[in-house]
Amino acid sequence: MKRKSPARAQLTPPRDLVTGSTPWPIVQVPHSSRWPSRPLSTDVAIIGTGISGALIADALTDAGHDVVLIDRRRPGNGSTRASTALVQCEIDTPLIQLADKIGPVNAAQIWRRSRLAVDALHDRVQQLRLDCDWEERPALCLDGKVLSPRGLRAEQAVRQRAGFQADYLTAAEVEHVARIRGRAALRTARNYQCDPARLTSGLLWRSHERGARIFAPFNLVALETRRGRVYMKTVDGHSISARFVVFATGYELPHIVSAKGHSVHSTWVIEVQPYRCDQPPLRHLIWEASNPYLYIRSTPCGRIVCGGADEKFANADARDQKLPRKAAYLRRRLLAMMPHFEGDLTRAWCGSFGGSTHGTPTMGRIPGYPGCYCVLGYGGNGITFSMLAAQLIRSDIEGHPDPDAHLFSFDREYSQ
């Protein structure tokens, strides 16, 4: 069956994904800005060189596949460089609420796969010896508008029934371990933080060493599937064919993918250098059971990263205009919660952020386009979801579909 993409200027709409200075400098990755004189042919073409594309390329080249990556920007220069890289298994929707929406069995299994993805990513970072400031941190989920202290107790019980360990901390205990007053919390272990830009570049380097070819910047304008292959063209008329194509383009959603159940929002982040250098360092990943929530982490040099205040619009100009006001708001919120971290505002940035109806990612085959996959790791656990996508897509391409693929597919319908 032959299938063509709709007539559009580009396969994915360009967005202004990030504005401002982030702590994660862009690291050089081997790529070519010249297309070969002959049409390219490969086993798998991955569109996008952010964290999702990098993890998928690592998984596929490790399995021996010939891989080509294409990006409209320099590698790793999209929304990945704005990530605050809190790598944890908890997704945006509390397990107790997700169970009400899609059933307790489905909800628990999605959380389990998230847990397994975090563990697998940790193992991979260690195995490849990636230099990306990878550090283990306990996480504190503070009570908020979504879960009160009583709600946290109920969430803890649901998690424990599903096999997840979570410790309930009273307000006094939270103040003792994190110096945050008046807030109860759930504490979980085996969470991590990292430099997302260096994690991405390290994975791309390893894939390149196994033979992956990276081409940037190139824009794709046409896609056609026929006779078991996918054919694409760039805006300059260059051609590439592949057995499989994976769209890992983040918030630049391909036109051949339905946006139903997903939306792009705006988010803001600040970095603060505390005045006092003798303060005990922040040892937890902090986030709130609120919507929108505030999240806080530290960098290896002791600076505090605080983000949130998300809003449901995607206009980049309007988002950027709000940056000074949002930075001031985030700083006030940070100091109200943790006044001992008063200090100079060193950076502020804003960018696009995706959300979904259930707070779960969507990834897998694109309906109606044989050989085409897409990854929508929308939510606050983008890196975790990217690792999960690498696992699911590798299994499907190698002919043994993951038994949990239906939980994340584009045509899924959850049975209660």
Side-chain angles (χ1 to χ4, degrees):
M1 174 181 170
K2 179 188 287 190
R3 186 69 184 265
K4 290 185 178 181
S5 64
R8 303 271 186 166
Q10 298 180 44
L11 276 178
T12 59
R15 289 185 182 274
D16 180 1
L17 294 173
V18 183
T19 297
S21 172
T22 80
W24 333 118
I26 299 172
V27 181
Q28 291 297 322
V29 174
H31 67 282
S32 176
S33 59
R34 291 189 177 184
W35 200 270
S37 57
R38 297 180 180 179
L40 275 174
S41 179
T42 187
D43 189 20
V44 184
I46 300 173
I47 316 305
T49 58
I51 186 59
S52 294
L55 280 166
I56 294 166
D58 174 64
L60 293 176
T61 56
D62 188 58
H65 293 277
D66 180 42
V67 170
V68 167
L69 296 102
I70 303 170
D71 203 310
R72 61 161 43 108
R73 301 176 181 85
R74 289 170 57 192
N77 198 28
S79 57
T80 293
R81 68 183 179 92
S83 170
T84 44
L86 281 69
V87 185
Q88 52 195 81
C89 83
E90 292 99 331
I91 68 175
D92 288 351
T93 305
L95 182 56
I96 191 171
Q97 294 184 353
L98 188 62
D100 288 339
K101 293 180 179 180
I102 66 174
V105 174
N106 292 328
Q109 189 59 15
I110 288 174
W111 270 62
R112 290 190 192 101
R113 290 307 302 260
S114 182
R115 174 74 273 164
L116 291 172
V118 171
D119 293 343
L121 180 55
H122 170 69
D123 292 344
R124 192 61 174 161
V125 169
Q126 304 308 310
Q127 180 184 14
L128 297 177
R129 298 182 180 180
L130 298 179
D131 181 15
C132 60
D133 292 333
W134 186 265
E135 296 180 296
E136 184 172 359
R137 290 283 185 269
L140 287 180
C141 174
L142 304 175
D143 67 75
K145 296 179 180 178
V146 173
L147 292 176
S148 65
R150 179 178 294 181
L152 288 179
R153 288 279 195 185
E155 172 75 3
Q156 179 195 31
V158 171
R159 291 191 195 184
Q160 289 179 337
R161 286 196 295 271
F164 298 98
Q165 179 62 40
D167 299 323
Y168 180 85
L169 302 185
T170 64
E173 290 170 325
V174 170
E175 183 174 358
H176 176 70
V177 301
R179 303 183 69 186
I180 298 173
R181 293 183 176 180
R183 306 289 289 273
L186 291 182
R187 181 172 59 187
T188 57
R190 291 175 24 227
N191 307 285
Y192 305 89
Q193 63 181 31
C194 68
D195 178 330
R198 285 162 58 196
L199 173 61
T200 299
S201 66
L203 291 164
L204 291 174
W205 269 103
R206 296 297 190 274
S207 296
H208 173 73
E209 291 166 357
R210 301 188 203 105
R213 294 164 286 171
I214 305 173
F215 296 92
F218 290 98
N219 276 306
L220 296 169
V221 294
L223 179 146
E224 182 179 359
T225 62
R226 65 176 188 272
R227 298 179 182 177
R229 290 191 72 82
V230 184
Y231 298 84
M232 296 179 291
K233 286 187 177 182
T234 71
V235 69
D236 302 315
H238 304 298
S239 299
I240 179 172
S241 67
R243 288 178 59 217
F244 305 100
V245 171
V246 182
F247 285 93
T249 54
Y251 309 127
E252 295 176 326
L253 185 69
H255 292 304
I256 62 175
V257 176
S258 171
K260 182 180 179 181
H262 297 86
S263 56
V264 178
H265 306 162
S266 294
T267 190
W268 294 265
V269 194
I270 60 171
E271 181 192 70
V272 172
Q273 174 64 64
Y275 291 139
R276 292 180 57 185
C277 60
D278 60 343
Q279 290 287 354
L282 178 61
R283 295 298 186 186
H284 294 79
L285 306 179
I286 310 291
W287 59 293
E288 293 181 305
S290 295
N291 187 18
Y293 58 81
L294 196 73
Y295 53 89
I296 304 168
R297 58 160 285 197
S298 63
T299 66
C301 63
R303 294 181 177 179
I304 305 301
V305 173
C306 175
D310 304 346
E311 292 193 26
K312 295 182 178 180
F313 70 87
N315 183 280
D317 290 337
R319 177 199 71 203
D320 296 350
Q321 289 174 7
K322 288 191 172 188
L323 180 55
R325 181 159 53 88
K326 287 287 189 176
Y329 168 78
L330 289 170
R331 189 177 184 184
R332 289 195 303 271
R333 288 288 313 277
L334 171 64
L335 293 179
M337 185 183 296
M338 310 179 83
H340 51 285
F341 283 133
E342 183 177 6
D344 291 323
L345 183 67
T346 54
R347 286 187 177 90
W349 68 96
C350 55
S352 296
F353 172 83
S356 67
T357 303
H358 296 133
T360 59
T362 302
M363 51 190 70
R365 296 173 179 252
I366 301 175
Y369 288 87
C372 297
Y373 298 81
C374 188
V375 177
L376 304 182
Y378 292 4
N381 295 58
I383 295 178
T384 301
F385 294 156
S386 295
M387 185 64 191
L388 175 57
Q391 295 171 330
L392 297 181
I393 290 174
R394 172 176 170 170
S395 293
D396 199 75
I397 284 178
E398 295 193 327
H400 45 87
D402 191 289
D404 292 325
H406 67 285
L407 296 173
F408 309 98
S409 68
F410 283 88
D411 53 3
R412 66 183 181 264
E413 292 184 4
Y414 295 114
S415 57
Q416 295 281 346

mmCIF file of all heavy atoms in Angstrom, residues 24-55:
data_model
loop_
_atom_site.group_PDB
_atom_site.id
_atom_site.type_symbol
_atom_site.label_atom_id
_atom_site.label_comp_id
_atom_site.label_asym_id
_atom_site.label_seq_id
_atom_site.Cartn_x
_atom_site.Cartn_y
_atom_site.Cartn_z
ATOM 1 N N TRP A 24 23.314 24.092 30.550
ATOM 2 C CA TRP A 24 23.864 22.950 29.823
ATOM 3 C C TRP A 24 24.409 23.411 28.468
ATOM 4 O O TRP A 24 23.651 23.545 27.506
ATOM 5 C CB TRP A 24 22.799 21.878 29.633
ATOM 6 C CG TRP A 24 21.720 21.852 30.681
ATOM 7 C CD1 TRP A 24 20.392 22.049 30.487
ATOM 8 C CD2 TRP A 24 21.872 21.617 32.088
ATOM 9 N NE1 TRP A 24 19.709 21.957 31.665
ATOM 10 C CE2 TRP A 24 20.586 21.694 32.672
ATOM 11 C CE3 TRP A 24 22.968 21.352 32.905
ATOM 12 C CZ2 TRP A 24 20.367 21.512 34.030
ATOM 13 C CZ3 TRP A 24 22.750 21.174 34.269
ATOM 14 C CH2 TRP A 24 21.465 21.247 34.816
ATOM 15 N N PRO A 25 25.693 23.663 28.351
ATOM 16 C CA PRO A 25 26.254 24.127 27.077
ATOM 17 C C PRO A 25 26.165 23.048 26.016
ATOM 18 O O PRO A 25 26.240 21.847 26.309
ATOM 19 C CB PRO A 25 27.713 24.446 27.427
ATOM 20 C CG PRO A 25 28.016 23.577 28.605
ATOM 21 C CD PRO A 25 26.733 23.499 29.393
ATOM 22 N N ILE A 26 25.997 23.470 24.754
ATOM 23 C CA ILE A 26 25.927 22.537 23.638
ATOM 24 C C ILE A 26 27.306 21.915 23.427
ATOM 25 O O ILE A 26 28.315 22.605 23.360
ATOM 26 C CB ILE A 26 25.459 23.245 22.359
ATOM 27 C CG1 ILE A 26 24.057 23.823 22.567
ATOM 28 C CG2 ILE A 26 25.469 22.300 21.170
ATOM 29 C CD1 ILE A 26 23.593 24.707 21.442
ATOM 30 N N VAL A 27 27.349 20.604 23.343
ATOM 31 C CA VAL A 27 28.593 19.880 23.137
ATOM 32 C C VAL A 27 28.651 19.411 21.688
ATOM 33 O O VAL A 27 27.649 18.948 21.134
ATOM 34 C CB VAL A 27 28.699 18.675 24.100
ATOM 35 C CG1 VAL A 27 30.014 17.938 23.898
ATOM 36 C CG2 VAL A 27 28.555 19.139 25.541
ATOM 37 N N GLN A 28 29.818 19.530 21.067
ATOM 38 C CA GLN A 28 29.956 19.159 19.667
ATOM 39 C C GLN A 28 29.739 17.658 19.467
ATOM 40 O O GLN A 28 30.227 16.829 20.241
ATOM 41 C CB GLN A 28 31.341 19.544 19.162
ATOM 42 C CG GLN A 28 31.573 21.038 19.058
ATOM 43 C CD GLN A 28 30.642 21.699 18.044
ATOM 44 O OE1 GLN A 28 30.344 21.126 16.986
ATOM 45 N NE2 GLN A 28 30.165 22.887 18.367
ATOM 46 N N VAL A 29 28.994 17.348 18.431
ATOM 47 C CA VAL A 29 28.724 15.966 18.048
ATOM 48 C C VAL A 29 29.100 15.804 16.586
ATOM 49 O O VAL A 29 28.807 16.699 15.768
ATOM 50 C CB VAL A 29 27.231 15.621 18.259
ATOM 51 C CG1 VAL A 29 26.919 14.239 17.718
ATOM 52 C CG2 VAL A 29 26.874 15.706 19.737
ATOM 53 N N PRO A 30 29.754 14.723 16.181
ATOM 54 C CA PRO A 30 30.144 14.550 14.778
ATOM 55 C C PRO A 30 28.925 14.495 13.861
ATOM 56 O O PRO A 30 28.031 13.672 14.061
ATOM 57 C CB PRO A 30 30.907 13.227 14.774
ATOM 58 C CG PRO A 30 30.428 12.499 15.994
ATOM 59 C CD PRO A 30 30.146 13.568 17.009
ATOM 60 N N HIS A 31 28.857 15.390 12.908
ATOM 61 C CA HIS A 31 27.758 15.394 11.946
ATOM 62 C C HIS A 31 28.232 16.029 10.646
ATOM 63 O O HIS A 31 29.271 16.691 10.616
ATOM 64 C CB HIS A 31 26.551 16.155 12.497
ATOM 65 C CG HIS A 31 26.770 17.618 12.660
ATOM 66 N ND1 HIS A 31 27.473 18.165 13.720
ATOM 67 C CD2 HIS A 31 26.389 18.690 11.887
ATOM 68 C CE1 HIS A 31 27.509 19.476 13.608
ATOM 69 N NE2 HIS A 31 26.860 19.822 12.501
ATOM 70 N N SER A 32 27.461 15.826 9.612
ATOM 71 C CA SER A 32 27.792 16.377 8.303
ATOM 72 C C SER A 32 26.728 17.372 7.875
ATOM 73 O O SER A 32 25.527 17.095 8.000
ATOM 74 C CB SER A 32 27.897 15.261 7.262
ATOM 75 O OG SER A 32 28.130 15.809 5.976
ATOM 76 N N SER A 33 27.173 18.516 7.398
ATOM 77 C CA SER A 33 26.242 19.507 6.852
ATOM 78 C C SER A 33 26.156 19.403 5.331
ATOM 79 O O SER A 33 25.518 20.232 4.695
ATOM 80 C CB SER A 33 26.688 20.920 7.257
ATOM 81 O OG SER A 33 27.997 21.175 6.789
ATOM 82 N N ARG A 34 26.801 18.392 4.769
ATOM 83 C CA ARG A 34 26.742 18.130 3.326
ATOM 84 C C ARG A 34 26.088 16.776 3.088
ATOM 85 O O ARG A 34 26.505 15.766 3.644
ATOM 86 C CB ARG A 34 28.141 18.141 2.717
ATOM 87 C CG ARG A 34 28.787 19.520 2.683
ATOM 88 C CD ARG A 34 30.071 19.478 1.881
ATOM 89 N NE ARG A 34 30.674 20.798 1.766
ATOM 90 C CZ ARG A 34 31.765 21.063 1.059
ATOM 91 N NH1 ARG A 34 32.374 20.073 0.390
ATOM 92 N NH2 ARG A 34 32.249 22.286 1.016
ATOM 93 N N TRP A 35 25.077 16.807 2.244
ATOM 94 C CA TRP A 35 24.385 15.560 1.913
ATOM 95 C C TRP A 35 25.224 14.786 0.893
ATOM 96 O O TRP A 35 25.866 15.389 0.031
ATOM 97 C CB TRP A 35 23.009 15.864 1.333
ATOM 98 C CG TRP A 35 22.046 14.724 1.397
ATOM 99 C CD1 TRP A 35 21.856 13.761 0.460
ATOM 100 C CD2 TRP A 35 21.142 14.427 2.458
ATOM 101 N NE1 TRP A 35 20.892 12.879 0.860
ATOM 102 C CE2 TRP A 35 20.432 13.266 2.089
ATOM 103 C CE3 TRP A 35 20.865 15.030 3.685
ATOM 104 C CZ2 TRP A 35 19.462 12.689 2.896
ATOM 105 C CZ3 TRP A 35 19.900 14.460 4.494
ATOM 106 C CH2 TRP A 35 19.205 13.303 4.104
ATOM 107 N N PRO A 36 25.234 13.461 0.978
ATOM 108 C CA PRO A 36 25.982 12.677 -0.010
ATOM 109 C C PRO A 36 25.479 12.933 -1.429
ATOM 110 O O PRO A 36 24.329 13.322 -1.647
ATOM 111 C CB PRO A 36 25.727 11.235 0.416
ATOM 112 C CG PRO A 36 25.344 11.316 1.857
ATOM 113 C CD PRO A 36 24.628 12.622 2.022
ATOM 114 N N SER A 37 26.342 12.713 -2.402
ATOM 115 C CA SER A 37 25.975 12.957 -3.799
ATOM 116 C C SER A 37 24.906 11.990 -4.282
ATOM 117 O O SER A 37 24.151 12.292 -5.203
ATOM 118 C CB SER A 37 27.215 12.860 -4.692
ATOM 119 O OG SER A 37 27.835 11.586 -4.541
ATOM 120 N N ARG A 38 24.831 10.823 -3.647
ATOM 121 C CA ARG A 38 23.821 9.834 -4.009
ATOM 122 C C ARG A 38 22.718 9.792 -2.948
ATOM 123 O O ARG A 38 22.955 10.132 -1.792
ATOM 124 C CB ARG A 38 24.456 8.448 -4.132
ATOM 125 C CG ARG A 38 25.503 8.334 -5.240
ATOM 126 C CD ARG A 38 26.058 6.944 -5.279
ATOM 127 N NE ARG A 38 27.066 6.781 -6.319
ATOM 128 C CZ ARG A 38 27.725 5.649 -6.549
ATOM 129 N NH1 ARG A 38 27.484 4.574 -5.793
ATOM 130 N NH2 ARG A 38 28.624 5.587 -7.526
ATOM 131 N N PRO A 39 21.517 9.362 -3.339
ATOM 132 C CA PRO A 39 20.452 9.232 -2.344
ATOM 133 C C PRO A 39 20.871 8.288 -1.219
ATOM 134 O O PRO A 39 21.505 7.256 -1.458
ATOM 135 C CB PRO A 39 19.279 8.658 -3.148
ATOM 136 C CG PRO A 39 19.547 9.073 -4.550
ATOM 137 C CD PRO A 39 21.035 9.056 -4.715
ATOM 138 N N LEU A 40 20.518 8.647 -0.002
ATOM 139 C CA LEU A 40 20.851 7.830 1.159
ATOM 140 C C LEU A 40 19.898 6.641 1.278
ATOM 141 O O LEU A 40 18.704 6.738 0.986
ATOM 142 C CB LEU A 40 20.759 8.660 2.436
ATOM 143 C CG LEU A 40 21.968 9.486 2.854
ATOM 144 C CD1 LEU A 40 21.610 10.352 4.064
ATOM 145 C CD2 LEU A 40 23.150 8.588 3.177
ATOM 146 N N SER A 41 20.453 5.524 1.735
ATOM 147 C CA SER A 41 19.636 4.351 2.034
ATOM 148 C C SER A 41 20.113 3.791 3.366
ATOM 149 O O SER A 41 21.321 3.698 3.620
ATOM 150 C CB SER A 41 19.784 3.287 0.941
ATOM 151 O OG SER A 41 19.014 2.143 1.257
ATOM 152 N N THR A 42 19.174 3.450 4.235
ATOM 153 C CA THR A 42 19.545 2.978 5.561
ATOM 154 C C THR A 42 18.486 2.022 6.097
ATOM 155 O O THR A 42 17.392 1.900 5.519
ATOM 156 C CB THR A 42 19.727 4.161 6.536
ATOM 157 O OG1 THR A 42 20.254 3.693 7.774
ATOM 158 C CG2 THR A 42 18.398 4.873 6.779
ATOM 159 N N ASP A 43 18.829 1.365 7.175
ATOM 160 C CA ASP A 43 17.873 0.488 7.842
ATOM 161 C C ASP A 43 16.842 1.314 8.600
ATOM 162 O O ASP A 43 15.630 1.151 8.432
ATOM 163 C CB ASP A 43 18.624 -0.450 8.785
ATOM 164 C CG ASP A 43 17.743 -1.540 9.367
ATOM 165 O OD1 ASP A 43 16.680 -1.805 8.778
ATOM 166 O OD2 ASP A 43 18.107 -2.116 10.400
ATOM 167 N N VAL A 44 17.345 2.266 9.442
ATOM 168 C CA VAL A 44 16.462 3.094 10.256
ATOM 169 C C VAL A 44 16.887 4.549 10.133
ATOM 170 O O VAL A 44 18.073 4.862 10.316
ATOM 171 C CB VAL A 44 16.491 2.681 11.748
ATOM 172 C CG1 VAL A 44 15.486 3.516 12.546
ATOM 173 C CG2 VAL A 44 16.215 1.191 11.912
ATOM 174 N N ALA A 45 15.943 5.429 9.818
ATOM 175 C CA ALA A 45 16.173 6.875 9.828
ATOM 176 C C ALA A 45 15.486 7.449 11.060
ATOM 177 O O ALA A 45 14.293 7.212 11.279
ATOM 178 C CB ALA A 45 15.635 7.528 8.572
ATOM 179 N N ILE A 46 16.239 8.172 11.876
ATOM 180 C CA ILE A 46 15.701 8.810 13.072
ATOM 181 C C ILE A 46 15.677 10.309 12.830
ATOM 182 O O ILE A 46 16.706 10.906 12.511
ATOM 183 C CB ILE A 46 16.555 8.494 14.318
ATOM 184 C CG1 ILE A 46 16.590 6.985 14.558
ATOM 185 C CG2 ILE A 46 16.016 9.225 15.540
ATOM 186 C CD1 ILE A 46 17.538 6.566 15.669
ATOM 187 N N ILE A 47 14.510 10.903 12.960
ATOM 188 C CA ILE A 47 14.354 12.343 12.754
ATOM 189 C C ILE A 47 14.376 13.007 14.121
ATOM 190 O O ILE A 47 13.453 12.874 14.922
ATOM 191 C CB ILE A 47 13.044 12.672 12.008
ATOM 192 C CG1 ILE A 47 12.834 11.700 10.840
ATOM 193 C CG2 ILE A 47 13.076 14.116 11.532
ATOM 194 C CD1 ILE A 47 13.983 11.630 9.851
ATOM 195 N N GLY A 48 15.453 13.737 14.405
ATOM 196 C CA GLY A 48 15.619 14.377 15.696
ATOM 197 C C GLY A 48 16.845 13.850 16.419
ATOM 198 O O GLY A 48 17.077 12.632 16.471
ATOM 199 N N THR A 49 17.666 14.770 16.947
ATOM 200 C CA THR A 49 18.897 14.369 17.639
ATOM 201 C C THR A 49 18.912 14.857 19.083
ATOM 202 O O THR A 49 19.971 15.113 19.642
ATOM 203 C CB THR A 49 20.137 14.918 16.904
ATOM 204 O OG1 THR A 49 20.038 16.354 16.825
ATOM 205 C CG2 THR A 49 20.265 14.331 15.510
ATOM 206 N N GLY A 50 17.736 14.996 19.688
ATOM 207 C CA GLY A 50 17.663 15.294 21.110
ATOM 208 C C GLY A 50 17.828 14.016 21.911
ATOM 209 O O GLY A 50 18.294 12.986 21.400
ATOM 210 N N ILE A 51 17.413 14.042 23.175
ATOM 211 C CA ILE A 51 17.614 12.885 24.035
ATOM 212 C C ILE A 51 16.844 11.663 23.529
ATOM 213 O O ILE A 51 17.341 10.528 23.610
ATOM 214 C CB ILE A 51 17.240 13.218 25.499
ATOM 215 C CG1 ILE A 51 17.585 12.051 26.423
ATOM 216 C CG2 ILE A 51 15.775 13.616 25.625
ATOM 217 C CD1 ILE A 51 19.053 11.656 26.422
ATOM 218 N N SER A 52 15.646 11.851 22.970
ATOM 219 C CA SER A 52 14.889 10.706 22.456
ATOM 220 C C SER A 52 15.605 10.070 21.277
ATOM 221 O O SER A 52 15.814 8.847 21.231
ATOM 222 C CB SER A 52 13.478 11.131 22.048
ATOM 223 O OG SER A 52 12.717 11.530 23.159
ATOM 224 N N GLY A 53 16.005 10.882 20.301
ATOM 225 C CA GLY A 53 16.713 10.355 19.150
ATOM 226 C C GLY A 53 18.018 9.700 19.538
ATOM 227 O O GLY A 53 18.398 8.655 18.985
ATOM 228 N N ALA A 54 18.725 10.292 20.504
ATOM 229 C CA ALA A 54 20.018 9.745 20.929
ATOM 230 C C ALA A 54 19.855 8.388 21.599
ATOM 231 O O ALA A 54 20.638 7.453 21.347
ATOM 232 C CB ALA A 54 20.701 10.726 21.876
ATOM 233 N N LEU A 55 18.855 8.242 22.469
ATOM 234 C CA LEU A 55 18.640 6.959 23.136
ATOM 235 C C LEU A 55 18.183 5.879 22.166
ATOM 236 O O LEU A 55 18.601 4.720 22.259
ATOM 237 C CB LEU A 55 17.627 7.125 24.266
ATOM 238 C CG LEU A 55 18.186 7.716 25.560
ATOM 239 C CD1 LEU A 55 17.065 8.165 26.493
ATOM 240 C CD2 LEU A 55 19.083 6.704 26.275
#
